[in-house]
Structure formats: structure tokens, C-alpha cells
Amino acid sequence: YKLDQESKIDYDLFCDLAIDAGFQDLELLEVVYSDLKFGAHIGCRGRYREPTKSKNAPSAFEYGDRVSDSICEWLKAGYAAGPFEHEEIPENAKISGLMVKLKPTGKARLILNLSAPKGSCVNEGIDKTDYPAKMTSTIKFVRILTKCGRNCQFTKVDWAAAYKQIRVHETDHPLQYFEWLGRYFLELCLIFGGVSSVGIYDRFAKIVLYIVLIQSGMPPSLVVQQIDDVVACGPPDGKLVELFDRKYSEVADKIGVELAPRDEPDKSFSP
């Protein structure tokens, strides 16, 4: 296990591209730069940071072999650290319970339950209003389809393990432990199920999208984003959508963002 792994994102190049594209909110850019360089603060305050221990959910044991496989994948990818003996973890560690939702592939999506125990959990110590995230809607996308007309082209871009591409600041590491098979593990990145995770991710992803829009010339009115899913629509000739799709891939590759492969059409597809 390693606790000193840096972000895979090239935060300096990311900022340079944002500034070159004319991104105006430099205060927000500074916040995101800090998230990427030093790790994001998840915003838990006060007594909710005190040590607690929660049990794993029945779903974790139901799919126990898949849980073990997913933990191994996290360790290999650098998303988590461990295994630790009990005496190796800090005294102020909060041990949250594991829950599981199966992905369409059958693999286990691990969810750390930061909403337990009630009255002293991590999520209750976070002010959600500090971490806004702007969503889209089906209605907005239907309007874009209507605007672009019959036989219009559209593409869908998806991030791979989106939250895991942003690391958490070391001062918040004690809040992100879990236990499995008598050993302890530490999630090093944003947690799926954390109240602030969506907002922290979204402020980064929105700037990435801004860079792509400027570089491709794609009108923002023809693009929708729902967390890590980005859909762009354009005229029937497809040239505008193809350029957007290519630029998104190029920008992601430059700064170190890992996009979902295109072998699962439900997740991501070319125009």
C-alpha cells in the first residue's frame, strides 16, 4: 500500500489550458487546482469527525467474492491503501460500512456508507450547500434533439471511475476507512455516496468541459452534462459532433483524465 501517491491529473497543464481557453472564474480555478494538487477537503466538521465504527451491509457479504475482487482492483489502481492491521490505523479513524450495488457487468460497485451511524456520521458533518452541482434533464436534451433536427448526430462521453480521479486531502484520510475480512483499508479518493463528492467532482468536470467547448467551437447550448456523462448533439453532417468528441478525448488524454472505453455502448459511444 502507498499513501503518498500523487494525483494522476496534470494539474499545472489543466490550469494552463483553462486560462488559455479564457476561463474567467480564477477563484474557482484555484480551488480546483488545490483539489488536484493537494487533495480535496470533503468538508466534514466538528464532532462528526470523531471515531465510530459501522457494520458492513448484508449486500457486501452476499457478493463477498466480488467485493474482494473490487478491493484488489482499487489497491492496484491506487484508489485505496491497505490492508492494515487494527494497530496500524489511526486512533481517530472512522470505520464506515461497505454496501454493494452490482454494475451491469456483474462487478461489485463498492459504496462506503458515510451516512451511518445516524447522529455521528461523516455526511451529517458536511454542509451540502458548500458543494453545489448543476445537473441537466431529459427535457433539455429533447429540446436539443428537436433543435438539431431529424438525422442529427450525437455522442456520449463518460469518465472511468470518475470520483476516483480526485484524491482526498490527507487530513480527511481518517474519515475514509473500512473493514473487510479482518483487515482495514483506506479510500484515498472521493467516495461514491459522500455528500460533497458530486460537487467536488462537478466543479472540476465543468472546467474540463469548458476547455473542450472552446477548443472544438461546439455551442454550449448543444451539450448536456449529468455528473460524469456528457452528451453533445449537432447537425446531420456530424462534423461538429465529431470535432467535439475528438477534442474531449484529446484534452482528457493531455491532462490525465481516464475516459470510459467504448466497448459498452450504454456508457459511451462515438457520434
Side-chain angles (χ1 to χ4, degrees), residues 205-214 223 225 230 244 248:
K206 285 289 197 298
I207 300 178
V208 173
L209 177 58
Y210 176 88
I211 295 169
V212 176
L213 290 172
I214 295 299
V223 180
Q225 178 180 352
V230 178
F244 172 86
Y248 204 115

Side-chain angles (χ1 to χ4, degrees), residues 2 4 7 15 29 54 56 67-68 79 106 126 130 160 172 205-206 215 217 229 242 252:
K2 291 184 178 180
D4 57 352
S7 171
C15 279
L29 185 60
S54 299
N56 293 329
V67 170
S68 295
Y79 300 153
I126 300 173
D130 291 337
D172 285 338
K206 285 289 197 298
Q215 290 195 7
D229 294 320
E242 288 174 1

